[in-house]
Amino acid sequence: MIKVEQEKGLTKDEILKLYTKGFTRPEDFKIGMEYERLPISLSSFKAIDYWNDCGIKSFLETFAKEYTWDYILDGRNVIGLKKNHDTITLEPGSQIEISAEPQRTVFQLKNKMEALDEAINNILAGSNITLLNYGVSPYSTHKSINIIPKKRYKIMANYLWGILSDVMMRETAGIQCCIDFKSQEDAMRKFKLANKLSPFMTAMFANSPIRGGVDTGYKTFRGLSWINTDNDRCGFCGKISEEFSFEDYIDCVLKTPMIFIQRDNLYVELNGDITFEEYMKNGYAGVFPTIDDYELHANLYFPEVRMRNFIEIRNHDCVGGDLKYAIMAIYKGIMYDNCAMDECEELLKPLQYKDYSELRYNVPKQALQARVKKAKAVDYAKEIINIAEKYLKQAQTGEELFLDSIKEYTMKGNCPADILQKKWNSVWNKDLEKMIQYLLSVN
């Protein structure tokens, strides 16, 4: 049992400080990346289990020993590794996520990621495991993928509603981009623009059509799974309105049903019975909220774009090669130049909230061919790339080179999934091994 506490008050002012502490001088802006991949067997293409002989637990322990990283533990179970500001962590179905210390340029970020990747590959060399740059498990489905031994994931799996929540948790892998802001006004401008860009970016990088060994008919089955996961805590935060503030974002979090409370290693499952707002007013069973409770609850809120003491842009399928850095380059080119933001805002000005909402629902199946009023998503996507390229060139850092990989697709009206589906239904003759070999060749 959690010890009953004396009543304490948690105020919005205390919560607000979690966000305002992120204010950063523009000359110190960096870009961060969270990069998830799917561990699969090279022979069977099945998902690798945490407990398998030479499985994910064994990989983490071997990596920690070889490179002197510290364990991240849940009870006695190793669920991740950390060293300085870098982490290797696990998603619920043993997907492996690298989160590297943010860097000033995409070149530096790539160097950091490649160094971590080389170390990972050294441990995996000679094993039957590969990490696949792809958005959804290509063969194993959630029914045969176990949740790792992390208590909160098991509670989440039991709670999250939506017909594809198990797919989202156990089968999918994505890439997230993290950007800085200098003030509340700057943060809210970037937050709203990132939300408006998100369905176009999801379409550009759609890379998960083949799931369970079959063509699903969707370009991003991962994107579909998020649409069908707990709409209380997923989707757009707010209405992407012109008037939005940290307090408005906090209110959205406060009105979201709570999943559990944690004190040390003890958990009380709330099963959505109360919102955090109600918890702040009345407590729960003699327990009253702390700032740690709010941070935990905010981390169990999964909008397309999430506010922290930075902005986390979430909904991109995992992709290989320089495509993953193209995601970073687009956001850096747009979000770190006021004129670039002006141009993007003008481009998207004719669209209303309902247009973005409809697009979000249509993109998983149609990707860049999804209609937006009288145009298609691809028409906007091309302009988004052009704007990012223009301002990256003006910055004279050379980072516009990272856009070449996505231009190969978008300027021809394609996303990665289009190529996979075309090959799957022709030269590969629905042969999963050929698709896996292709994906590994473009990693």
Side-chain angles (χ1 to χ4, degrees), residues 5 27 65 133-134 164 174 209 222 230 272 277 352:
E5 304 166 338
E27 58 267 32
K65 182 178 179 181
N133 285 309
Y134 189 60
L164 295 179
R222 175 185 176 274
D230 198 340
E277 187 173 50
Q352 305 300 315

Side-chain angles (χ1 to χ4, degrees), residues 252-320:
C252 290
V253 178
L254 297 185
K255 294 181 188 302
T256 302
M258 295 180 69
I259 300 177
F260 62 88
I261 301 168
Q262 180 182 351
R263 289 292 186 278
D264 300 319
N265 290 319
L266 297 175
Y267 294 76
V268 172
E269 297 182 41
L270 301 180
N271 299 312
D273 289 343
I274 62 170
T275 65
F276 202 91
E277 187 173 50
E278 291 167 333
Y279 181 41
M280 286 180 70
K281 288 179 181 176
N282 306 313
Y284 183 85
V287 178
F288 291 88
T290 66
I291 197 66
D292 290 340
D293 289 336
Y294 176 83
E295 288 194 81
L296 170 62
H297 179 66
N299 286 338
L300 297 173
Y301 180 55
F302 307 117
E304 301 289 283
V305 182
R306 183 159 62 182
M307 284 297 314
R308 299 189 174 197
N309 57 347
F310 53 87
I311 298 171
E312 180 184 88
I313 312 169
R314 301 169 45 78
N315 203 5
H316 319 93
D317 281 357
C318 179
V319 285

